[in-house]
Amino acid sequence: MTLVAGDAVLALVLWDVPGILRTVIVLAYLAVAPGLACARLIRIPDGLTRFVVGVALSLALGVLVAQGMLQLHLWSPLLGIVTLTVIASLAALIELGRDVLHPTGGDGWSRHD
């Protein structure tokens, strides 16, 4: 889902979709997706806790990416969105690869944990 959402957000930005629709969708994605994708790698069992940690991670990643772009004199909103989308996609791919290599039971926890 994270991979598809990232592609959709990039399409909205690149096609320059006008209005509030693009603003709301992009901000919601940036506030949740990168951190939530990373938080899923930690395997927090409680959904609400995972969501809160994901939002906090998203905000922290956003600040780190912005600071990195400023330090490198590469400030670009599009570059920031692309960077955060790549981070979210890599985290989702790592989780997908981990689930393929180490299948879990129905509860999402590995029997060897």
Side-chain angles (χ1 to χ4, degrees):
M1 184 82 146
T2 302
L3 299 173
V4 174
D7 292 339
V9 165
L10 287 177
L12 283 174
V13 172
L14 292 176
W15 287 340
D16 199 27
V17 174
I20 191 94
L21 178 67
R22 178 179 64 173
T23 304
V24 170
I25 292 173
V26 170
L27 287 177
Y29 175 82
L30 293 177
V32 176
L36 195 55
C38 294
R40 289 181 56 89
L41 295 174
I42 303 170
R43 294 192 186 229
I44 300 170
D46 180 39
L48 180 61
T49 304
R50 184 177 31 218
F51 180 76
V52 170
V53 168
V55 170
L57 276 171
S58 287
L59 296 176
L61 286 170
V63 169
L64 287 173
V65 167
Q67 288 292 319
M69 288 189 303
L70 286 173
Q71 291 296 321
L72 296 172
H73 304 287
L74 295 172
W75 177 255
S76 165
L78 181 59
L79 179 61
I81 291 170
V82 169
T83 303
L84 289 169
T85 303
V86 167
I87 291 170
S89 298
L90 287 175
L93 288 173
I94 289 170
E95 181 186 10
L96 184 63
R98 182 175 64 186
D99 289 344
V100 168
L101 293 175
H102 304 289
T104 60
D107 60 354
W109 289 89
S110 174
R111 302 208 190 283
H112 303 289
D113 287 346

